[in-house]
Amino acid sequence: MTISMHSASAPIFAKTLGNMLLWLEAAKKHAETKKFDTAVYLGLRLAPDMLPFSRQIQICSDAAKGCVGRLAGQELPRWDDNEATLDELIVRIRKTIDYVQSIPASAVEGSEERAIEIPRRNGEPLKFRGEDYLRHYALPNFFFHATTTYALLRHAGVDLGKADFLGRP
């Protein structure tokens, strides 16, 4: 049995983004219990040269919608990266889940050989064939930033464990 391009992308993104919603709800409860403003989370970093917490979530969002949209050959929606609260980041994640789930499987199937170009600020775009883009760029990039989001919340004392990262099967 082979795995499809759709089953290897959209449902994985949607599930992990759904798990991220639970992490953010746990973070809100943690802040309430400890009596601090949830805005504290937005600037969290593990290292001074690292992008802050809010950017980790925005990049996860962009990676998921970008991957599914590119594989489907669709023009990507452009969203401002202006979320300034935990609740606004929650809305962004929900919007991303809705977008990812709105792409029909039939639009993604057969995209293994689709030419994918990722624009870069400086220089030539990155060029991939669809399957390589999914396996070697989009999924690793998405999970890098999802894992960083999880790690930042754990570092801040939010009661999360491996099961929260993995979610329910």
Side-chain angles (χ1 to χ4, degrees):
M1 177 169 88
T2 60
I3 189 168
S4 74
M5 290 294 284
H6 180 267
S7 69
S9 60
I12 292 169
F13 294 132
K15 180 181 183 211
T16 300
L17 289 164
N19 294 346
M20 290 174 74
L21 290 173
L22 299 175
W23 309 342
L24 295 185
E25 290 300 331
K28 287 171 64 173
K29 286 181 186 171
H30 177 256
E32 182 181 316
T33 299
K34 298 291 185 176
K35 300 189 183 342
F36 66 85
D37 188 338
T38 58
V40 169
Y41 295 119
L42 301 179
L44 291 176
R45 301 167 193 253
L46 294 174
D49 64 346
M50 175 184 206
L51 293 172
F53 178 81
S54 57
R55 282 295 294 143
Q56 302 299 328
I57 293 174
Q58 291 161 347
I59 293 169
C60 272
S61 165
D62 290 345
K65 72 182 172 75
C67 178
V68 176
R70 285 182 182 102
L71 291 176
Q74 295 190 358
E75 185 169 334
L76 303 181
R78 301 217 185 267
W79 300 340
D80 293 329
D81 294 330
N82 60 2
E83 293 81 13
T85 67
L86 216 53
D87 285 331
E88 289 175 355
L89 289 167
I90 288 169
V91 168
R92 171 134 180 183
I93 292 170
R94 286 188 177 129
K95 185 166 69 167
T96 306
I97 293 169
D98 290 345
Y99 174 76
V100 164
Q101 292 178 331
S102 76
I103 305 296
S106 60
V108 176
E109 297 310 349
S111 62
E112 293 88 347
E113 299 299 326
R114 176 169 278 135
I116 305 289
E117 288 193 12
I118 310 298
R120 295 171 53 195
R121 281 178 248 172
N122 301 324
E124 292 293 314
L126 298 175
K127 296 180 181 184
F128 301 93
R129 58 184 271 284
E131 184 179 358
D132 292 333
Y133 167 66
L134 174 62
R135 293 187 321 138
H136 302 296
Y137 185 83
L139 285 171
N141 186 46
F142 174 80
F143 279 109
F144 175 87
H145 292 286
T147 301
T148 301
T149 299
Y150 172 87
L152 286 166
L153 291 173
R154 287 280 293 145
H155 183 70
V158 178
D159 186 21
L160 297 172
K162 184 176 181 180
D164 297 301
F165 186 88
L166 297 174
R168 304 266 182 237

